[in-house]
Amino acid sequence: MPPLSAGTDTVSVVGLEYAGATTLTPAILESIQTTDMLAWISIAAFFVALVLRWQGALEPARYLATGAWVAFGSFWVTMVPYYYYEVQSPLQTVLALAALPLCAYTGYLLWGGRDSLFVLTKAIAFMGLIYLPAEMIPVVRTWLIETTAAQTHYGMELLGHSPGLVEGSNGYRSKFDFDPNETVTGRTTYIILACTGIGSMAIFGGLIAAVKAPLKRKATAFALAIGVIWFLNLVRNVFIGLASPWGWFQQDWLVSFMTTYMGAEANRVSFLVSHNYIAQSLSVVALVGITYLVVKIVPEALKPLEDVLFILTGNEYDLFDALADDHVRADGGSDRDR
């Protein structure tokens, strides 16, 4: 979603959302409907395939899951124009482009008999089950966005900034009301669903839910992952929310580079650098760290991760030996217990 024009409600988006300042033309509405349809179809197909497998219909389950993976990859491809033109995020654009061939290859492997991929399929299905209600149910979406905005504002207050919260162009009370005449760039940000951390929470929730392990360990891992994601996401929002209006990255050389080679607006450079480059890069590091914490508690989650590595590299990996320094077994025990 692009920022609103200067002089009215100059806003950069901390994330991605379909509505807001963008004019909802018939073409955009059709794109949104296609994207939503692919999301629902792929998640529903994943669940049906899992039910078929549970009932013993293995071949139909494979075929349906293969189609679901292709639909899931197609969903991400429809997001490419938003990531490239609106969000101007190289990382998200590349990942969205890579999604279709990777998902199609996953379906191909599943079709060919790699049945261990049903666990990864189950993980994706549960991720969708967690994320889609937050996206589609207005009361849930509103609560997540406005609660995150209030918590981010509190974090800003701890650092000596109290801009206040007002309703943004996305219709939620989530815009940080900095005075454009007092800030360096004249810009501000507002919180959308992507800023709540629900996407990352859904990833780990789905991964943990998909594997077989004692409920107590799964609940512990889930609580740890959610807590860490919530805290790091809050830090991220505060960082971007202050960097954008106060121009922390408005150095002349950086502005020149971004405007000349990246097509950025000059007064939007601090937002793009803090959001698209620094925060997103650190998010990848954070996800790796959280994954390590989760698999220390639920080592069963290593199995679908091994399949992910096989999809990416074509090589088989034994993450149990590579990551568990005390040789934790899939049942949660240890070689030292023998």
Side-chain angles (χ1 to χ4, degrees):
M1 184 175 78
L4 297 175
S5 59
T8 56
D9 194 13
T10 309
V11 178
S12 295
V13 182
V14 188
L16 174 69
E17 190 167 72
Y18 296 126
T22 302
T23 302
L24 295 179
T25 64
I28 292 177
L29 283 172
E30 183 178 353
S31 176
I32 294 171
Q33 291 167 356
T34 300
T35 300
D36 288 345
M37 180 179 66
L38 285 171
W40 281 107
I41 287 175
S42 57
I43 297 303
F46 281 137
F47 274 111
V48 174
L50 292 170
V51 171
L52 288 174
R53 182 172 183 262
W54 177 64
Q55 292 181 337
L58 185 56
E59 290 302 313
R62 283 202 191 105
Y63 300 152
L64 182 57
T66 296
W69 275 104
V70 174
F72 190 60
S74 300
F75 157 75
W76 285 108
V77 169
T78 65
M79 299 294 291
V80 170
Y82 288 96
Y83 290 143
Y84 184 77
Y85 293 108
E86 307 294 343
V87 184
Q88 296 182 339
S89 169
L91 178 62
Q92 288 175 300
T93 301
V94 170
L95 291 176
L97 282 170
L100 181 55
L102 289 174
C103 288
Y105 182 54
T106 303
Y108 169 77
L109 292 172
L110 192 55
W111 180 293
R114 192 178 177 93
D115 289 346
S116 63
L117 285 169
F118 274 112
V119 179
L120 185 59
T121 299
K122 186 177 179 181
I124 298 296
F126 276 109
M127 291 176 196
L129 188 64
I130 294 171
Y131 183 83
L132 288 179
E135 171 70 31
M136 301 297 179
I137 301 175
V139 65
V140 177
R141 186 171 63 250
T142 299
W143 180 83
L144 282 171
I145 291 172
E146 295 190 349
T147 299
T148 301
Q151 293 174 346
T152 302
H153 189 272
Y154 178 73
M156 290 180 176
E157 289 182 321
L158 294 178
L159 297 178
H161 300 272
S162 185
L165 279 172
V166 295
E167 183 175 306
S169 59
N170 60 352
Y172 303 103
R173 186 177 176 80
S174 64
K175 174 189 168 187
F176 304 110
D177 195 24
F178 286 100
D179 187 339
N181 297 316
E182 294 181 358
T183 56
V184 173
T185 64
R187 309 190 78 91
T188 188
T189 56
Y190 59 88
I191 298 295
I192 62 171
L193 186 64
C195 313
T196 64
I198 186 64
S200 297
M201 294 177 186
I203 290 174
F204 286 100
L207 180 63
I208 294 167
V211 299
K212 294 182 179 180
L215 180 60
K216 182 177 180 179
R217 285 200 284 114
K218 292 174 71 169
T220 301
F222 181 73
L224 176 63
I226 297 305
V228 173
I229 291 170
W230 171 81
F231 176 76
L232 294 180
N233 186 67
L234 182 59
V235 172
R236 166 191 176 275
N237 287 340
V238 172
F239 168 64
I240 298 170
L242 294 178
S244 181
W246 295 110
W248 289 357
F249 303 101
Q250 293 296 126
Q251 290 82 3
D252 290 342
W253 69 271
L254 192 51
V255 172
S256 176
F257 175 82
M258 292 288 290
T259 54
T260 302
Y261 299 104
M262 306 301 291
E265 299 174 47
N267 63 352
R268 199 169 181 241
V269 168
S270 275
F271 168 77
L272 293 174
V273 172
S274 61
H275 180 274
N276 291 358
Y277 295 92
I278 296 176
Q280 287 186 358
S281 298
L282 291 177
S283 293
V284 174
V285 176
L287 288 175
V288 173
I290 297 169
T291 301
Y292 178 78
L293 294 176
V294 168
V295 300
K296 293 295 287 185
I297 301 172
V298 185
E300 293 86 350
L302 289 172
K303 185 56 183 176
L305 295 179
E306 289 174 348
D307 278 323
V308 171
L309 288 177
F310 179 81
I311 293 167
L312 294 174
T313 68
N315 297 318
E316 299 284 1
Y317 292 88
D318 188 343
L319 294 181
F320 289 97
D321 285 340
L323 298 182
D325 56 3
D326 60 348
H327 303 286
V328 176
R329 302 192 307 273
D331 61 4
S334 169
D335 287 346
R336 294 175 183 173
D337 297 333
R338 296 178 181 175

